Amino acid sequence: MDLPVQDVLRPRSLREALRVLADHPGARPVAGGTDLVVQLRDGRRQAELLVDLSRVGLDGITETDRGIAIGAGTTMDVIATHRAVRTHFPALATAASQVGAWPIQCRATLGGNLANASPAADTAPALLVAGAAVTVASARGQSQLPLEELFVGPGRTSLRSNELIVSVLLPVSRTGAGRRLVERFVKVGPRREQIISVVCMAGRVVVAADGRLELVRLAFGSVAPTPVRARATERLLERRVLDDRLRQEALGVVQEDVKPIDDVRAPASYRRLAVATLLDRFLAEVARG
Amino acid sequence: MAERVSVTFTLNGERRTFTVAAGRRLLDLLRDDAGLSGTKEGCGAGECGACTVLLDGRPVTSCLVLAASVEGRSVVTVEGLGGASGALHPFQRALVEKGGVQCGFCTPGVAVTGAAILAQGISEPGERARLLSGNLCRCTGYSKIFEALEAAREGSNG
């Protein structure tokens, strides 16, 4: 069955794509289409005009002195296997390897996963703990915003219809002598492969030589209207030495950091429990060293 | 009335041009416009893998690919896996020999993903299982599909 769209434009450069978006308010950009095509088919989103980004050239990963820049058109399979991503941001590599199954990963793009703004988007928590910034372009120029400012609600971003995500920057910081980086991504669902997360979590912790948690970033998916950082839990843990008492306290606080709802995949009470369980396992790994 | 767009790409090694509705999916172009009905539609939502084809050598679910977006690219369907002569790919032969086919509906997608796994030289069983997890098969229990993958790999090693 053909998708209910009137036309598709196929710009050959970013400049042309931005001009098309500026000239056609309401046009919807499409990259891999793994979310959008399903939504158009179901009627959950409508678009008269699609702007196919296949030939705009937004794919590729570059390492600069500011960090790792991932083009918005880069597909999940490429991110999951990229050497520098796996070294510096293992949570993102793991998340990318769990977005759908392989035929989805070969098509789904990072920019699409973010623009779709699902609260369950697997790459989002991993990018949040990485401190990612999103570069957004329009015909007027480029700007950068922290990833958290992109998400407004389920399926909604702060992007205007003439704007396009062009890349995501992950700042690389040296962990330093005597320090230890622990970074993980885990998701919970009824099947190990190819599921929409019931809850997913990314954690990034730097443990100093004296055992203090120098940096703590925790983010969860599918437990709030947008992917969220667990700020109160982060504040509780930061600059402290992890012991059993602190860990127990964190498991209570983290359940207040999230705002889950009951839906088709799980009740809110289950999600709260899963959030605490995932954090407990992560902190156990941090403590083990 | 939706606009029609022209799309030119390499289909099973041959350069082809089609004029299709703007909203046509690659799956429908393959089955209805190109007459290649080997590619099946299962769920239509990218979850079952029955419609898997190779796009520039990588497996994709053709039910989620906009036909207009494959301009200039290369698509290989189950009909083209064995090359232009119409021969079977070694993995297709192994599926037949090992009994990796039952009802057959998932088989075109399984054949395509399996061929991609072999092309990438992936032999670790856990990784093979992960890569095939997007091709749902209700009949075989997968054992014979993995046996066929192994047989095809050994065959190609000589």
Side-chain angles (χ1 to χ4, degrees), chain A residues 71-92:
Chain A
T74 310
T75 51
M76 297 298 164
D77 61 325
V78 172
I79 294 168
T81 53
H82 191 269
R83 189 189 47 76
V85 173
R86 290 172 65 119
T87 303
H88 297 287
F89 302 101
L92 177 62

Side-chain angles (χ1 to χ4, degrees), chain A residues 75-77 96-108, chain B residues 130:
Chain A
T75 51
M76 297 298 164
D77 61 325
S97 77
Q98 295 185 17
V99 174
W102 193 28
I104 298 295
Q105 289 160 18
C106 290
R107 190 78 184 145
Chain B
R130 185 181 77 82

Side-chain angles (χ1 to χ4, degrees), chain A residues 218-240:
Chain A
L218 305 165
F220 291 89
S222 233
V223 292
T226 65
V228 285
R229 288 268 294 272
R231 297 274 187 191
T233 314
E234 293 177 359
R235 280 194 301 272
L236 172 75
L237 293 169
E238 234 164 21
R239 290 181 295 280
R240 306 270 296 270

Side-chain angles (χ1 to χ4, degrees), chain A residues 87-90 129-131 171-184 202-218 229 234 237-242 246 282-283 285-287 289:
Chain A
T87 303
H88 297 287
F89 302 101
V129 300
V172 173
S173 52
R174 293 214 166 273
T175 305
R179 293 177 175 81
R180 187 161 57 81
L181 172 72
V182 186
E183 206 191 76
R184 295 283 183 277
R204 182 180 178 88
V205 165
V206 175
V207 187
D210 64 1
R212 281 175 204 284
L213 306 182
E214 212 169 62
L215 172 136
V216 180
R217 289 196 191 128
L218 305 165
R229 288 268 294 272
E234 293 177 359
L237 293 169
E238 234 164 21
R239 290 181 295 280
R240 306 270 296 270
V241 176
L242 194 59
L246 182 61
F282 176 64
L283 293 178
E285 271 195 73
V286 170

Side-chain angles (χ1 to χ4, degrees), chain A residues 1-8 10 12 30-35 37-38 41 50 52 54-55 75-78 80-81 96-98 100-107 191-194 196, chain B residues 1-3 5-7 21-25 28 41 43-48 52 55 58-61 63-66 68-69 71 73 113 116-117 120 122 129-131 133-136:
Chain A
M1 186 198 69
D2 295 341
L3 299 172
V5 299
Q6 288 303 308
D7 202 1
V8 55
R10 294 174 286 180
R12 289 167 168 273
V30 56
T34 53
D35 281 313
V37 169
V38 179
R41 187 172 170 269
L50 295 178
D52 169 50
S54 303
R55 290 187 290 173
T75 51
M76 297 298 164
D77 61 325
V78 172
T81 53
S97 77
Q98 295 185 17
W102 193 28
I104 298 295
Q105 289 160 18
C106 290
R107 190 78 184 145
R191 183 179 180 233
R192 193 177 58 201
E193 313 291 354
Q194 204 191 5
I196 297 176
Chain B
M1 188 59 191
E3 296 293 327
V5 295
S6 170
V7 54
R24 178 134 308 187
R25 305 175 302 170
D28 298 319
E41 175 162 21
C43 67
E47 291 176 9
C48 76
T52 306
L55 180 59
R58 292 147 77 207
V60 300
T61 47
C63 72
L64 300 185
V65 176
L66 204 62
S69 75
E71 177 73 33
R73 303 180 71 174
T113 302
I117 289 172
Q120 295 208 358
I122 294 160
R130 185 181 77 82
L131 296 177
S133 69
N135 292 88
L136 303 186

Side-chain angles (χ1 to χ4, degrees), chain A residues 42-267:
Chain A
D42 292 353
R44 276 181 286 153
R45 284 195 206 262
Q46 280 89 31
E48 294 254 304
L49 176 64
L50 295 178
V51 181
D52 169 50
L53 302 177
S54 303
R55 290 187 290 173
V56 172
L58 291 177
D59 57 318
I61 300 177
T62 48
E63 297 172 63
T64 71
D65 48 359
R66 296 177 56 211
I68 299 174
I70 304 180
T74 310
T75 51
M76 297 298 164
D77 61 325
V78 172
I79 294 168
T81 53
H82 191 269
R83 189 189 47 76
V85 173
R86 290 172 65 119
T87 303
H88 297 287
F89 302 101
L92 177 62
T94 306
S97 77
Q98 295 185 17
V99 174
W102 193 28
I104 298 295
Q105 289 160 18
C106 290
R107 190 78 184 145
T109 66
L110 188 64
N113 201 222
L114 299 178
N116 185 55
S118 165
D122 285 325
T123 62
L127 291 171
L128 286 175
V129 300
V134 178
T135 302
V136 171
S138 74
R140 290 181 186 170
Q142 296 203 343
S143 59
Q144 211 172 51
L145 73 161
L147 176 60
E148 274 174 293
E149 292 176 19
L150 182 72
F151 302 123
V152 175
R156 293 193 303 130
T157 67
S158 57
L159 293 177
R160 297 195 188 89
S161 76
N162 63 344
E163 290 179 323
L164 204 57
I165 300 173
V166 293
S167 66
V168 178
L169 180 71
L170 309 176
V172 173
S173 52
R174 293 214 166 273
T175 305
R179 293 177 175 81
R180 187 161 57 81
L181 172 72
V182 186
E183 206 191 76
R184 295 283 183 277
F185 172 84
V186 273
K187 72 196 247 184
V188 173
R191 183 179 180 233
R192 193 177 58 201
E193 313 291 354
Q194 204 191 5
I195 47 125
I196 297 176
S197 289
V198 171
V199 172
C200 62
M201 176 194 142
R204 182 180 178 88
V205 165
V206 175
V207 187
D210 64 1
R212 281 175 204 284
L213 306 182
E214 212 169 62
L215 172 136
V216 180
R217 289 196 191 128
L218 305 165
F220 291 89
S222 233
V223 292
T226 65
V228 285
R229 288 268 294 272
R231 297 274 187 191
T233 314
E234 293 177 359
R235 280 194 301 272
L236 172 75
L237 293 169
E238 234 164 21
R239 290 181 295 280
R240 306 270 296 270
V241 176
L242 194 59
D243 57 22
D244 280 349
R245 200 169 139 193
L246 182 61
R247 196 164 124 193
Q248 285 306 322
E249 202 181 334
L251 302 187
V253 171
V254 76
Q255 296 183 59
E256 300 305 315
D257 260 332
V258 297
K259 308 263 178 303
I261 56 165
D262 298 331
D263 71 8
V264 289
R265 294 197 296 279

